Amino acid sequence: MAKHLIDPTDLSKEELEEILDLGQKIIDNREKYSEVCKGKKLATLFYEPSTRTRLSFTSAMMELGGNVLGFSDAKNSSVSKGETCADTTKVINCFADIIAMRHFEEGAAMVAAMNSKVPVINAGDGSHSHPTQTLTDLLTIKRELGRIDNITIGFCGDLKFGRTVHSLIKALSRYEGVKVVLIAPEQLRLPDYMKQEVCEMNGVPYVEVDSMEPVIGDLDVLYMTRVQKERFLDEDEYDRVKDFFILDASKLKNAKKDMCILHPLPRVNEISTDVDSDPRAAYFRQVENGKFVRMALISKLLEWSKDPTKDSQLVPEDAVRGKYVCRNKRCISNIETGVESIFRPALDKPGEMRCLYCESKPQTRENS
Ligand code: CP
């Protein structure tokens, strides 16, 4: 058993704050932490492209005095011969002390954790979740504004497929006085389960709008996102929405003087380069914070995994096995062999179930 990070809610608010505080301490005194992971190895298993997440994990482990192994293209690994995520994880357990995995199948990091004795970090699973981007975003908000509580944050762009949005809203629901403005066209709105199970259940007020101009003056944080071309099944649909929101310098005229502009990056054209020189543009500072917060996360997960009371409980006691199948075709339970269908009770609707891996609703086996 070990302590994993698959979803932002795997961390208590206290653990989250411990990681953010350690991230700031590392920024203030990098030398002090330069041998914390001496003799330890991080495996970066990236089944999907990445620049920031993979290289910041690599840089983070190197700055902690540890080593890194792994693959950045699954085609060059035995995955191309049909090896499952579960088997690959068992194999990597023989070589590494901690794993960071990015996968296009939703729930892949959960399957990896279920088959791992060493900590698994979800570095992004399909359009589901991206908790280390969330840690990056929270540290950036804290450093830019001096607080995370009592902010109004606008999420703009692809709120349907944007996993960074889903993860950040979940984490922010733990803080006091956070208000959410969802700026998206009809086709890219936040999934219902996020609105119900995360915002409504946690008393997070939200509004949905389809234009940035009327709301920009209310925001403390503007979180821009790329329209996720790779998640669209229909290219015409992507073409219809891809240029819906473009932030340029003229749109910032009515924004607060201390608003901060975040973007998980990469951007395509949703932020014009004339915004880059505005002091409110924090997205490149955000990238650097990502390395420091990943240093903190690696250190903490390795420390916590020595304490059995911190072990992750991946499958809740009231989970139901085998009765349903997941509706989501991108869910690992519908793609890989040997992944048992497991559902947990929905938090928002008594009697409803959610897939353990991707949080989608089930269908009964006879209807599948
Ligand atoms: N923000 C982010 O996840 O970037 P990469 O896809 O480059 O890792």
Side-chain angles (χ1 to χ4, degrees):
M1 292 287 276
K3 174 83 172 168
H4 307 284
L5 177 61
I6 307 305
D7 185 269
T9 55
D10 294 340
L11 299 171
S12 66
K13 172 101 183 278
E14 291 70 32
E15 289 168 339
L16 196 60
E17 287 292 322
E18 260 190 76
I19 290 169
L20 299 182
D21 288 349
L22 180 57
Q24 185 59 53
K25 283 185 186 144
I26 292 170
I27 292 168
D28 295 339
N29 188 354
R30 287 160 75 168
E31 186 56 33
K32 183 176 171 193
Y33 298 90
S34 62
E35 296 202 346
V36 164
C37 287
K38 200 171 171 188
K40 298 287 181 195
K41 293 188 280 295
L42 165 73
T44 54
L45 311 183
F46 276 61
Y47 293 71
E48 207 183 42
S50 166
T51 299
R52 274 145 296 274
T53 310
R54 188 175 67 82
L55 295 180
S56 67
F57 265 118
T58 303
S59 179
M61 194 56 167
M62 288 162 93
E63 282 216 25
L64 291 166
N67 289 301
V68 184
L69 67 162
F71 53 77
S72 58
D73 181 352
K75 284 201 240 35
N76 293 331
S77 75
S78 285
V79 174
S80 62
K81 301 175 203 161
E83 187 161 65
T84 62
C85 177
D87 281 0
T88 300
T89 306
K90 287 178 193 160
V91 169
I92 300 300
N93 264 246
C94 305
F95 307 140
D97 303 287
I98 184 163
I99 294 170
M101 175 183 281
R102 169 168 292 188
H103 209 299
F104 49 91
E105 292 168 10
E106 296 176 17
M110 172 63 90
V111 170
M114 290 162 87
N115 288 279
S116 184
K117 297 191 187 93
V118 304
V120 172
I121 301 169
N122 182 3
D125 61 331
S127 57
H128 178 226
S129 194
H130 193 348
T132 66
Q133 181 65 46
T134 299
L135 295 174
T136 303
D137 301 338
L138 292 174
L139 182 60
T140 306
I141 293 169
K142 199 167 186 176
R143 296 192 76 208
E144 295 288 322
L145 298 180
R147 68 185 196 283
I148 300 174
D149 291 315
N150 300 312
I151 59 167
T152 299
I153 179 166
F155 290 94
C156 181
D158 186 349
L159 313 188
K160 179 178 180 186
F161 295 120
R163 60 192 172 196
T164 62
V165 173
H166 304 167
S167 291
L168 183 53
I169 293 177
K170 275 187 183 174
L172 286 173
S173 71
R174 303 254 177 103
Y175 288 83
E176 298 296 320
V178 173
K179 294 182 191 150
V180 171
V181 181
L182 303 167
I183 310 161
E186 182 78 37
Q187 301 93 316
L188 296 179
R189 290 219 167 143
L190 195 72
D192 286 344
Y193 87 87
M194 283 291 308
K195 284 183 258 183
Q196 292 156 4
E197 197 165 317
V198 181
C199 296
E200 287 165 23
M201 280 290 293
N202 292 294
V204 178
Y206 68 90
V207 289
E208 291 187 292
V209 296
D210 57 13
S211 171
M212 189 192 295
E213 284 82 350
V215 292
I216 197 163
D218 301 331
L219 306 179
D220 300 301
V221 180
L222 173 58
Y223 195 98
M224 295 295 297
T225 61
R226 173 178 69 90
V227 178
Q228 308 265 304
K229 183 177 186 182
E230 65 275 28
R231 315 275 178 228
F232 280 76
L233 301 174
D234 175 356
E235 196 150 334
D236 291 342
E237 183 70 7
Y238 169 73
D239 286 337
R240 274 194 287 279
V241 292
K242 68 176 192 234
D243 293 327
F244 210 89
F245 296 109
I246 297 178
L247 180 68
D248 58 26
S250 69
K251 294 208 177 85
L252 288 170
K253 275 194 219 103
N254 295 328
K256 289 182 184 173
K257 293 279 172 281
D258 61 349
M259 182 186 82
C260 84
I261 306 164
L262 303 186
H263 191 309
L265 304 180
R267 72 173 150 191
V268 183
N269 60 354
E270 58 282 352
I271 301 182
S272 161
T273 51
D274 67 2
V275 176
D276 294 358
S277 56
D278 189 300
R280 292 168 287 191
Y283 30 92
F284 291 111
R285 297 193 287 278
Q286 190 181 357
V287 174
E288 195 176 18
N289 289 332
K291 178 181 74 174
F292 296 120
V293 90
R294 288 182 176 101
M295 288 172 75
L297 175 67
I298 292 167
S299 309
K300 282 287 167 195
L301 286 184
L302 286 171
E303 179 194 318
W304 288 336
S305 288
K306 291 183 203 147
D307 175 0
T309 65
K310 288 271 192 190
D311 284 349
S312 298
Q313 196 198 354
L314 297 170
V315 184
E317 277 165 17
D318 51 2
V320 174
R321 296 169 183 267
K323 186 172 173 191
Y324 310 104
V325 289
C326 181
R327 280 185 194 181
N328 177 7
K329 294 200 168 28
R330 301 170 209 261
C331 177
I332 192 166
S333 67
N334 284 323
I335 301 172
E336 293 209 358
T337 54
V339 178
E340 187 182 19
S341 290
I342 307 178
F343 286 78
R344 58 158 177 83
L347 301 176
D348 58 325
K349 293 212 172 128
E352 278 199 12
M353 304 298 281
R354 295 280 185 271
C355 176
L356 182 75
Y357 307 102
C358 73
E359 302 180 69
S360 295
K361 291 179 182 176
Q363 54 193 19
T364 48
R365 285 204 171 270
E366 49 274 22
N367 298 332
S368 62

